[in-house]
Amino acid sequence: MKRRTRNLLLNWRIILLILFLVGSVATLAFKPLTYGIDISGGVALVAQTEHPVDSDTMQLVVSSLQKRLNTLGLRDITVEAQGDQIVLIKVANVSTAEEANQIKSVIESQGVFYMEFTGTVFGTGEDVEYVGIYQIKPDNSWAVPFRISKSAAEKFAELAYGKKGWPVDMFLDPPVNSLMVVPDSVYRLMNSTDFNAEAPNAPTLMERIGKAFNVTVVAYANQSADEIAKLAEGKDKIVLVDVPQDLQTQLEEMNLTVRYVPRAPGETDHALIVRVLGLYGPYSLGEGLTVGEPQQDVQITGAAPDRLTAEQEASTIYTVLKSGSLPVKLNVVGMEFISPRLGENFRTQALYAGIAALIAVLLIVYFHYRNWRIAIPVASTSLFEVMIILGFAALINWNLDLPSIAGIIAAIGTGVDQQIVITDELLSGERSTRITRRASVLRRMGRAFFVIFASAATTIAAMSFLLVYFVGTLKGFAFTTILGVLIGIIVTRPAYAEIAKYLLGED
């Protein structure tokens, strides 16, 4: 008896099960589970494209947003297209306005990046080859290092030769080919040398953006909507900056694309210009960059009033540079926090439901076989399977939502069925001495595992279709079902077969 017990404990299948169990318990102890939006709550944002797009472009918008939000480090993201202009974005585990506003900023950044010098664009987002990890300094200044292509670096070296102290501008989503209507003070500032770094003889900011992006800037002097529309002929859009908002309505009634930018409370003219243009800089051209040698490693820098704001600004730039640009500009037109549907007591209720389900499995199996030596291992194996699945989910930061939990239940149900197949094969040999003489335990286990592997292959094939071709909540169901089936056929099913053979007296 002792030798059989020792052999069971030293069996590699049992050791593998123990290792997985210990690893799962340790993972759950140090890394708690995270939950999806329907359990833990989150935020829902409604975004609208600047103009209607076709289905192919909308699909590209959805996939690009998924990639961008994943780059930001978010999980359990649902991005759904609704019609030809509306995109619905749901993000779990977002509970503060600061987090929601950062997501809003990332969505609204189309991500079209330009590097400009003396009115010439020498590089774009397509020239960004590598983005390094952003850095936050104690004074709340930040820097995002990146590497540009050799061709962009050579073009810049040629433009910069002999121009020490001249301004270098970087833009994120500037208003390309547009008419800007601004207050007189803003107009005068853009046309001054305040944005010229250390080179008063360099072109002004107004001249640089006019040459680089075909942006025309006019000072507001009580012009009518008709007069502004006439000035905007040949332009893609009109940008109204801190001027009467009723102009927006009048111009939109003329079927013109209008962007209205109000001044934030306490915002200076300089800060307003930087925000409207998406300007980073101007950076003063260092002496080492004026000798004609290409320099590929560059960085965007900035400063913020506090560390949280600095983190958000740097993270947004890093995310946009790394994920690339969206095919069309998005504006967030609605944002709503979603409260947890299942409430704060979900985990306690789920625990009670799980215990009740295990007891039900235990009793049903017992009444079927009238043998506790069968019922207890079947229920215990199901419990072990749940623990391993949850441990793996915690390890990879998988957010558990309702479809994911349904997938775990489906996998456990399949597991119980397969354990009954193994048990019936073992008992068939025990009941008939003729079959016992003809077929070894190995042969009977072979028959059982043939059924198990065929069933698992069918389930994985069906769930793989959902995992690859569907988006949203169905992915969670498919993922956890496949994970549960794989854990079953690799770890728990072989271990149960050894335990069952031991308890039923089969060698």
Side-chain angles (χ1 to χ4, degrees):
M1 183 69 177
K2 290 182 179 180
R3 184 173 64 85
R4 292 182 66 239
T5 303
R6 188 182 72 247
N7 289 341
L8 174 68
L9 295 176
L10 294 178
N11 189 292
W12 68 268
R13 299 171 183 85
I14 303 301
I15 293 173
L16 184 64
L17 174 62
I18 293 172
L19 289 175
F20 269 81
L21 275 174
V22 171
S24 297
V25 171
T27 301
L28 291 169
F30 293 103
K31 200 170 185 182
L33 290 166
T34 56
Y35 300 94
I37 195 167
D38 45 8
I39 297 172
S40 64
V43 66
L45 302 101
V46 179
Q48 184 177 20
T49 60
E50 275 194 329
H51 52 79
V53 297
D54 57 36
S55 58
D56 291 339
T57 303
M58 183 59 81
Q59 187 56 46
L60 187 58
V61 168
V62 170
S63 60
S64 298
L65 273 179
Q66 284 273 9
K67 179 182 176 183
R68 181 174 289 189
L69 294 173
N70 280 323
T71 302
L72 192 60
L74 301 172
R75 294 291 182 271
D76 192 21
I77 304 160
T78 303
V79 182
E80 299 175 357
Q82 298 183 350
D84 58 1
Q85 270 193 287
I86 300 298
V87 182
L88 179 63
I89 304 104
K90 294 181 180 179
V91 186
N93 299 306
V94 176
S95 56
T96 65
E98 289 79 9
E99 292 174 310
N101 286 330
Q102 184 181 11
I103 295 170
K104 178 175 181 270
S105 175
V106 168
I107 292 170
E108 290 187 328
S109 295
Q110 186 176 355
V112 182
F113 179 65
Y114 297 95
M115 295 172 281
E116 169 268 323
F117 185 72
T118 65
T120 301
V121 175
F122 64 86
T124 67
E126 294 182 357
D127 293 299
V128 176
E129 295 183 341
Y130 167 78
V131 183
I133 301 300
Y134 60 84
Q135 302 161 353
I136 310 294
K137 296 180 181 178
D139 62 352
N140 298 323
S141 62
W142 53 265
V144 181
F146 61 97
R147 183 178 299 128
I148 60 175
S149 65
K150 185 178 180 181
S151 61
E154 289 174 345
K155 186 175 181 180
F156 175 63
E158 182 182 343
L159 291 168
Y161 184 76
K163 293 185 174 69
K164 178 180 180 298
W166 280 47
V168 182
D169 304 313
M170 297 185 188
F171 295 90
L172 190 63
D173 299 330
V176 177
N177 192 29
S178 65
L179 173 72
M180 285 181 58
V181 183
V182 301
D184 183 65
S185 61
V186 172
Y187 179 88
R188 284 187 278 107
L189 184 60
M190 294 179 71
N191 205 29
S192 71
T193 59
D194 278 37
F195 287 89
N196 280 27
E198 301 172 19
N201 296 326
T204 64
L205 177 62
M206 189 179 296
E207 292 170 332
R208 298 199 300 270
I209 63 174
K211 181 181 176 183
F213 307 121
N214 192 27
V215 175
T216 302
V217 184
V218 297
Y220 178 66
N222 296 318
Q223 295 97 327
S224 66
D226 290 329
E227 291 173 318
I228 293 173
K230 188 173 182 180
L231 291 171
E233 288 180 358
K235 301 291 188 179
D236 291 337
K237 69 177 74 172
I238 299 171
V239 182
L240 302 176
V241 182
D242 193 29
V243 297
Q245 193 170 2
D246 57 349
L247 287 171
Q248 179 184 12
T249 305
Q250 296 172 32
L251 290 166
E252 286 177 344
E253 288 175 351
M254 302 178 190
N255 294 321
L256 295 173
T257 301
V258 183
R259 174 190 172 200
Y260 182 76
V261 184
R263 185 189 295 266
E267 189 172 32
T268 63
D269 286 344
H270 187 283
L272 181 60
I273 292 168
V274 167
R275 179 163 64 91
V276 172
L277 295 179
L279 171 64
Y280 292 87
Y283 304 108
S284 178
L285 186 61
E287 188 171 2
L289 299 174
T290 65
V291 295
E293 289 294 328
Q295 176 66 36
Q296 289 183 261
D297 292 318
V298 294
Q299 64 180 5
I300 296 180
T301 60
D306 55 72
R307 186 171 183 84
L308 177 61
T309 305
E311 286 271 2
Q312 292 175 347
E313 290 179 359
S315 176
T316 299
I317 296 297
Y318 168 81
T319 300
V320 170
L321 287 180
K322 195 170 181 66
S323 63
S325 62
L326 296 171
V328 65
K329 172 77 173 171
L330 289 171
N331 294 308
V332 174
V333 296
M335 183 167 64
E336 178 185 4
F337 285 95
I338 301 173
S339 60
R341 295 178 189 170
L342 301 183
E344 296 180 357
N345 296 324
F346 170 76
R347 278 174 287 187
T348 304
Q349 295 169 356
L351 179 62
Y352 291 155
I355 293 172
L358 284 173
I359 292 173
V361 169
L362 180 70
L363 294 176
I364 291 171
V365 175
Y366 170 75
F367 285 124
H368 178 70
Y369 291 106
R370 300 291 178 176
N371 190 337
W372 288 111
R373 290 190 300 172
I374 296 174
I376 292 175
V378 168
S380 300
T381 304
S382 298
L383 176 62
F384 298 157
E385 213 163 298
V386 171
M387 291 175 63
I388 294 172
I389 292 173
L390 294 179
F392 191 84
L395 183 66
I396 65 172
N397 293 322
W398 183 267
N399 279 345
L400 287 176
D401 53 12
L402 290 180
S404 297
I405 294 172
I408 294 175
I409 294 171
I412 299 306
T414 303
V416 172
D417 182 57
Q418 292 170 354
Q419 290 173 71
I420 289 174
V421 171
I422 293 172
T423 305
D424 285 344
E425 285 292 342
L426 286 172
L427 291 177
S428 68
E430 195 174 63
R431 291 168 185 162
S432 172
T433 55
R434 292 183 180 179
I435 297 178
T436 304
R437 294 191 188 101
R438 277 202 313 261
S440 66
V441 171
L442 183 61
R443 194 170 184 179
R444 281 178 272 143
M445 286 297 95
R447 286 199 302 266
F449 276 95
F450 174 80
V451 175
I452 290 169
F453 281 120
S455 172
T458 304
T459 302
I460 291 173
M463 292 299 108
S464 297
F465 178 80
L466 292 181
L467 193 63
V468 173
Y469 294 105
F470 283 76
V471 296
T473 56
L474 285 177
K475 279 185 176 289
F477 175 77
F479 174 79
T480 49
T481 302
I482 292 173
L483 177 63
V485 169
L486 288 175
I487 289 172
I489 62 176
I490 295 172
V491 181
T492 56
R493 229 61 81 234
Y496 171 77
E498 295 301 322
I499 294 171
K501 285 191 291 183
Y502 171 81
L503 293 175
L504 295 176
E506 295 283 4
D507 292 318

